[in-house]
Amino acid sequence: MFRIFIIEDDRGLVTLLQNYLHKFGYETQAAQDFEAVRTEFERFAPHLVLLDVNLPRFDGYYWCRQIRGVSTCPILFISAREGKMDQVMALDNGADDYITKPFDYEIALAKIKSQLRRAYGSYAGGGNDRSLTVSGLILDVERLILSRGSSKIDLSHTEAKILDELMQKAGTIVTRDRLLEKIWDEQAFVDDNTLNVYVTRVRKKLAALGLADGLQTVRGQGYRLCGNWGEAKA
């Protein structure tokens, strides 16, 4: 049974979400102390988090960062804020998806199922260890770890999916459309800036491992992971 942690101060919405999710066999828990969300998260150990932006004391972006410090579980923002920058900030702070209020419960459920499949189900590699290596850069697909030499860095599920595709095709161009297909299951409109945010995060992770110029943008086509770091260009 998958556990879902709901961080939302609208108790009416919390009750509706819990009742709906319980119908499909999910176990849920709602945050009670909005100054101790991380503690409650760690105690419940959920498989997925539903997180609002506007919360008492600290906002959702803060708690998203706190959770990312201890877990790579999928985080879906559910917020009345519809602005592009709100969604960009959510993704940039570690979220995996963003749902705007009011929302259709069936669509929300589909997104939850999608993230759970990616993290734990048929798209998670079947539980078998799998890793990719390109010129000393190692991606542990299942553990969501990128390493080079003695340095290691944690990845989100989406970052790992992007790097998985780039590393499998190292030295060749991977189109933006292909990366979008890799990230999202359903055909839906996705703002181009969303992929830009994820690619920027991947660049930062590579830079932290000493490969600031390892990912090239090929104008009008897509991206290319160099594979031969000596040939990388800004």
Side-chain angles (χ1 to χ4, degrees):
M1 179 183 295
F2 288 113
R3 296 182 300 278
I4 298 177
F5 188 44
I6 303 172
I7 309 171
E8 165 68 65
D9 63 335
D10 182 338
R11 293 305 175 186
L13 178 57
V14 168
T15 298
L16 290 172
L17 277 170
Q18 289 184 309
N19 289 340
Y20 187 79
L21 292 171
H22 291 167
K23 293 178 182 179
F24 296 90
Y26 296 104
E27 179 182 352
T28 67
Q29 178 173 304
Q32 300 299 317
D33 184 349
F34 289 99
E35 293 190 0
V37 169
R38 175 169 161 174
T39 299
E40 292 186 6
F41 168 86
E42 292 183 278
R43 187 177 298 124
F44 185 51
H47 297 93
L48 180 142
V49 173
L50 297 177
L51 174 61
D52 193 8
V53 174
N54 294 322
L55 295 169
R57 186 62 175 163
F58 302 104
D59 64 22
Y61 305 130
Y62 171 83
W63 289 120
C64 189
R65 294 193 300 273
Q66 290 295 305
I67 292 170
R68 277 289 168 257
V70 295
S71 174
T72 58
C73 79
I75 298 176
L76 279 69
F77 269 85
I78 296 181
S79 175
R81 296 189 185 184
E82 299 179 349
K84 178 189 295 185
M85 286 311 301
D86 293 307
Q87 299 183 44
V88 170
M89 285 180 64
L91 297 171
D92 207 26
N93 278 282
D96 294 284
D97 206 342
Y98 194 102
I99 305 170
T100 56
K101 300 176 184 176
F103 56 88
D104 185 292
Y105 281 86
E106 291 185 4
I107 292 177
L109 180 63
K111 287 178 176 289
I112 289 169
K113 288 181 175 179
S114 173
Q115 291 297 334
L116 290 172
R117 283 198 303 271
R118 291 187 181 285
Y120 314 105
S122 57
Y123 299 164
N128 298 318
D129 289 342
R130 185 167 75 87
S131 64
L132 295 171
T133 303
V134 175
S135 300
L137 181 69
I138 303 172
L139 171 65
D140 188 323
V141 179
E142 312 310 328
R143 295 181 177 84
L144 304 178
I145 295 174
L146 188 66
S147 60
R148 184 179 182 229
S150 60
S151 299
K152 296 183 179 181
I153 194 164
D154 292 329
L155 303 170
S156 71
H157 291 285
T158 303
E159 291 164 355
K161 291 290 183 182
I162 290 175
L163 279 163
D164 188 355
E165 188 70 17
L166 291 168
M167 291 177 70
Q168 286 190 58
K169 298 178 174 62
T172 62
I173 297 171
V174 178
T175 66
R176 291 176 60 88
D177 286 345
R178 175 56 189 149
L179 290 180
L180 289 171
E181 290 174 6
K182 186 76 173 179
I183 298 170
W184 283 276
D185 293 335
E186 298 84 9
Q187 291 294 324
F189 174 76
V190 178
D191 193 295
D192 281 344
N193 202 42
T194 301
L195 180 58
N196 294 340
V197 169
Y198 280 125
V199 169
T200 297
R201 286 166 56 179
V202 168
R203 289 188 195 278
K204 289 179 180 178
K205 296 295 174 75
L206 290 170
L209 297 176
L211 301 174
D213 300 326
L215 181 57
Q216 297 178 335
T217 298
V218 182
R219 190 177 299 275
Q221 298 184 59
Y223 305 95
R224 176 171 53 216
L225 191 70
C226 296
N228 185 337
W229 313 124
E231 296 178 357
K233 298 179 180 178

